[in-house]
C-alpha cells in the first residue's frame, strides 16, 4: 500500500462581502415590504407578520460576522433576495468550474505540480450546477489535467469524503495524484428571506492536492488515516432534484432550498462528531494530546467550541482550533479546508492535526494529518 500526502491547498474567495448589518438591513426592508403587502391578512390574523432580524442575534447564535458572495446586489435587493447569476452558455465555463479552477491552480502552484500530472479530479460539493457532463470533467479540461474526473456530493462532508476517496485510490496504486475541489455557491441554495437561516451561508471554492508519498522531498502533510460515517436524518435537507418539474407549484416550494432544524442538528450532530473523532483517534493510535490543531467544519462557533473541548478534554488554546466562519460564514464542505489552508503554515515536522467535517446526511468525515 502506498502512502499519501497533501502537498497543496488553494482557496478562491469572492471579491464581494456582505456584513451582518448590510444583510439585516436588506432582510428587514424585505420583511417590511412583505408585511405592507399582506397588511389585510395580517390584521385579520390569517398571516403572521414577519419579524425583523438582528446583527446581535446572528453573531451570538453563530459567530458569523461577514460572508463572501458571488453577487451581492441581487441578494441585498429587498425585492429579490437572491443572487443574480445569469445562466452560462454551453460554450462558457460554468460558475462552479470557474471558481474551482482558481482554487485548483493555487493548490497546484503551492505543490509545484503541473496540471497534466494529475490523474483524478473530484468535484465534491453540496450542489451541482447541472446534472451532466460532470463539473469535474469540465475542470479537468480547463486546467489540462490527465486521467479521469467525476462529481460527488456528501453535502458539508463532500471535501473529507472526497479526500478519503482520492487517498484510497492513491493507497491502492490506481492513481498517483488527485485534486479534490469544492466549489460551494451556497448563496444560490440559501433562502435569504427566511429569518431563521438567512445569515448562515457564503460562497467560496477550495482545492486539495493529494499525492503518492514515495516519499516526497517537499513540505507536506502525511495523511495518517481517514474515516467517514453517515446516519440518515431529515434535519438538514434540500428537496431540489431532477424530478422537481413533476411537482406542482414548483416555484413556491420552500423545500427546494436549504432547510434545517438547527436546534436538532446541534443536539444530534455534536455527540456523533465527538464520538467519531474519539474513536478515529483511538483506532489510529493518536492521542488527543498529540493534536496540535483541529480544523473543524465551519457552521457554528458554539458547536466548534463544544467539539474542541470534548475532543481535547480542555478548552482549546487560541489558535489550536482556528475558526474562519466569522469571515466566511458556513461554506459547506469548503469550511474545514479553508481553516486548514489558512492555519497550517506554521506547523513543524511531526506536528499532527485533524480535519473534521459534519453536516447533512448526517455525515461526518475526519482526516488525521502529520506535518513532514
Ligand atoms: N434575528 C433575530 N432573532 C432570531 C433570528 C434572527 N435572524 N432568527 C431566529 N431568531 C430567534 C427565534 O425567533 C427564536 O426566538 P424565540 O426563542 O423567542 O422563539 C430564537 O431566536 C432562537 O432561534 P433558534 O433557531 O432556536 O436559534 P439558535 O440559537 O438555535 O441558532 C442556528 C440558530 C441556525 C445558528 C443554530 O441552530 C445552528 O447553527 N445550528 C446548527 C447548524 C448546523 O450545523 N447546520 C449544518 C448546516 S450545513
Amino acid at each position: 500500500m502506498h502512502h499519501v500526502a497533501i502537498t497543496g491547498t488553494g482557496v478562491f474567495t469572492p471579491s464581494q462581502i456582505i456584513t451582518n448589518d448590510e444583510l439585516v438591513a436588506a432582510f428587514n426592508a424585505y420583511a417590511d415590504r412583505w408585511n405592507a403587502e399582506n397588511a389585510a391578512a395580517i390584521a385579520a390574523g390569517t398571516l403572521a407578520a414577519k419579524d425583523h432580524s438582528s446583527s446581535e442575534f446572528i453573531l451570538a447564535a453563530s459567530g458569523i460576522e461577514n460572508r463572501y458572495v458571488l453577487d451581492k446586489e441581487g441578494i441585498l435587493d429587498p425585492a429579490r433576495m437572491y443572487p443574480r447569476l445569469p445562466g452560462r452558455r454551453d460554450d462558457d465555463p460554468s460558475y462552479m468550474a470557474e471558481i474551482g479552477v482558481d482554487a485548483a491552480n493555487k493548490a497546484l502552484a503551492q505543490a509545484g505540480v503541473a496540471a497534466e500530472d494529475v490523474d483524478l479530479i473530484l468535484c465534491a460539493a453540496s450542489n451541482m450546477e447541472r446534472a451532466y457532463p460532470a463539473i469535474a470533467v469540465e475542470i479537468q479540461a480547463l486546467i489540462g489535467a490527465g486521467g479521469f474526473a467525476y462529481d460527488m456530493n456528501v453535502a458539508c462532508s463532500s471535501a473529507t469524503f472526497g479526500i478519503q476517496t482520492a487517498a484510497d485510490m492513491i493507497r491502492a496504486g490506481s492513481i498517483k495524484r488527485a485534486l479534490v475541489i469544492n466549489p460551494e455557491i451556497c448563496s444560490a441554495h440559501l433562502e435569504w428571506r427566511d429569518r431563521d437561516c438567512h445569515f448562515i451561508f457564503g460562497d467560496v471554492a477550495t482545492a486539495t492536492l493529494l499525492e503518492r508519498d514515495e516519499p516526497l522531498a517537499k513540505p507536506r502533510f502525511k495523511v495518517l488515516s481517514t474515516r467517514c460515517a453517515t446516519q440518515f436524518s431529515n434535519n438538514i435537507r434540500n428537496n431540489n432534484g431532477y424530478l422537481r418539474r413533476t411537482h406542482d407549484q414548483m416555484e413556491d416550494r420552500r423545500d427546494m432550498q436549504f432547510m434545517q432544524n438547527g436546534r436538532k442538528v446541534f443536539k444530534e450532530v455534536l455527540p456523533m462528531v465527538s464520538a467519531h473523532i474519539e474513536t478515529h483517534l483511538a483506532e489510529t493510535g493518536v492521542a488527543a494530546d498529540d493534536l496540535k490543531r483541529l480544523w473543524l467544519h465551519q457552521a457554528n462557533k458554539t458547536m466548534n467550541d463544544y467539539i474542541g473541548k470534548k475532543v481535547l478534554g480542555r478548552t482549546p488554546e487560541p489558535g489550536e482550533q482556528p475558526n474562519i466562519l466569522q469571515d466566511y460564514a458556513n461554506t459547506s464542505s469548503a469550511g474545514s479546508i479553508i481553516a486548514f489552508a489558512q492555519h497550517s503554515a506554521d506547523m513543524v515536522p511531526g506536528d499532527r492535526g485533524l480535519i473534521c467535517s459534519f453536516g447533512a446526511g448526517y455525515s461526518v468525515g475526519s482526516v488525521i494529518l502529520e506535518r513532514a
Side-chain angles (χ1 to χ4, degrees):
M1 201 175 75
H2 299 285
H3 294 291
V4 185
I6 292 176
T7 56
T9 50
V11 179
F12 163 82
T13 302
S15 59
Q16 303 179 39
I17 299 180
I18 300 179
T19 65
N20 286 347
D21 286 349
E22 289 173 306
L23 184 68
V24 166
F27 180 90
N28 291 349
Y30 154 75
D32 291 344
R33 279 172 77 115
W34 191 91
N35 289 341
E37 280 163 18
N38 294 284
I42 293 167
T46 51
L47 278 180
K50 289 194 188 291
D51 291 330
H52 277 189
S53 180
S54 91
S55 297
E56 296 70 32
F57 171 84
I58 294 172
L59 186 61
S62 68
I64 296 166
E65 296 170 32
N66 300 302
R67 68 282 297 140
Y68 293 93
V69 293
L70 291 184
D71 176 59
K72 174 173 178 169
E73 187 273 328
I75 294 167
L76 294 186
D77 176 354
R80 180 178 170 89
M81 307 289 282
Y82 195 71
R84 254 179 244 284
L85 300 172
R88 289 277 167 93
R89 294 181 317 159
D90 286 358
D91 290 336
D92 292 336
S94 62
Y95 289 100
M96 285 181 68
E98 197 169 85
I99 66 175
V101 163
D102 182 282
N105 283 332
K106 287 173 180 157
L108 290 169
Q110 190 183 69
V113 167
E116 68 211 45
D117 293 328
V118 174
D119 311 308
L120 166 69
I121 291 185
L122 293 175
C123 177
S126 294
N127 287 274
M128 294 300 159
E129 194 167 332
R130 61 169 180 267
Y132 46 82
I135 307 291
V137 180
E138 189 185 357
I139 295 174
Q140 177 194 21
L142 286 169
I143 67 172
F148 61 103
Y150 60 92
D151 295 345
M152 54 179 279
N153 176 353
V154 200
C156 288
S157 289
S158 298
T160 51
F161 278 52
I163 288 172
Q164 162 146 332
T165 304
D168 279 349
M169 286 193 221
I170 295 171
R171 288 170 183 138
S174 59
I175 61 167
K176 272 182 92 167
R177 288 184 197 86
L179 268 169
V180 179
I181 304 174
N182 322 105
E184 293 285 8
I185 307 178
C186 299
S187 64
H189 67 97
L190 176 59
E191 176 50 88
W192 295 90
R193 297 170 299 182
D194 183 339
R195 175 175 175 265
D196 288 347
C197 67
H198 75 112
F199 52 89
I200 71 178
F201 281 127
D203 300 335
V204 78
T206 51
T208 306
L209 181 70
L210 294 102
E211 296 189 68
R212 184 189 291 177
D213 200 357
E214 302 186 285
L216 296 162
K218 56 187 171 185
R220 63 201 187 280
F221 281 90
K222 293 196 268 183
V223 177
L224 299 186
S225 177
T226 55
R227 180 151 310 184
C228 302
T230 50
Q231 182 186 303
F232 188 68
S233 165
N234 275 319
N235 286 326
I236 314 171
R237 189 166 178 128
N238 181 338
N239 282 336
N240 200 350
Y242 83 103
L243 294 183
R244 72 175 286 182
R245 286 178 201 286
T246 65
H247 293 300
D248 294 329
Q249 299 172 320
M250 66 180 207
E251 298 308 334
D252 292 332
R253 288 191 48 179
R254 172 66 186 88
D255 63 328
M256 294 298 167
Q257 299 287 86
F258 167 87
M259 309 267 293
Q260 81 167 353
N261 191 337
R263 280 287 160 115
K264 278 200 175 152
V265 173
F266 230 107
K267 269 176 61 184
E268 293 174 5
V269 167
L270 284 180
M272 185 179 165
V273 172
S274 311
H276 176 95
I277 294 175
E278 280 162 14
T279 310
H280 189 190
L281 289 174
E283 292 182 5
T284 311
V286 173
D289 284 348
D290 287 347
L291 293 177
K292 283 275 179 320
R293 206 140 301 169
L294 295 174
W295 300 284
L296 299 180
H297 177 52
Q298 301 287 314
N300 184 290
K301 182 177 182 302
T302 310
M303 224 164 165
N304 285 3
D305 290 347
Y306 176 95
I307 294 169
K309 194 169 177 182
K310 188 89 176 48
V311 170
L312 298 181
R314 58 181 169 77
T315 302
E317 299 291 329
E320 267 186 318
Q321 184 208 289
N323 282 332
I324 54 86
L325 57 82
Q326 64 282 359
D327 303 318
Y328 283 84
N330 182 344
T331 49
S332 195
S333 70
S336 57
I337 305 300
I338 307 172
F340 170 59
Q342 296 187 349
H343 297 276
S344 56
D346 61 314
M347 293 176 75
V348 298
D351 281 354
R352 289 174 170 182
L354 174 125
I355 299 175
C356 184
S357 71
F358 40 88
Y362 297 132
S363 60
V364 48
S366 49
V367 182
I368 303 174
L369 299 174
E370 182 179 302
R371 184 77 187 178

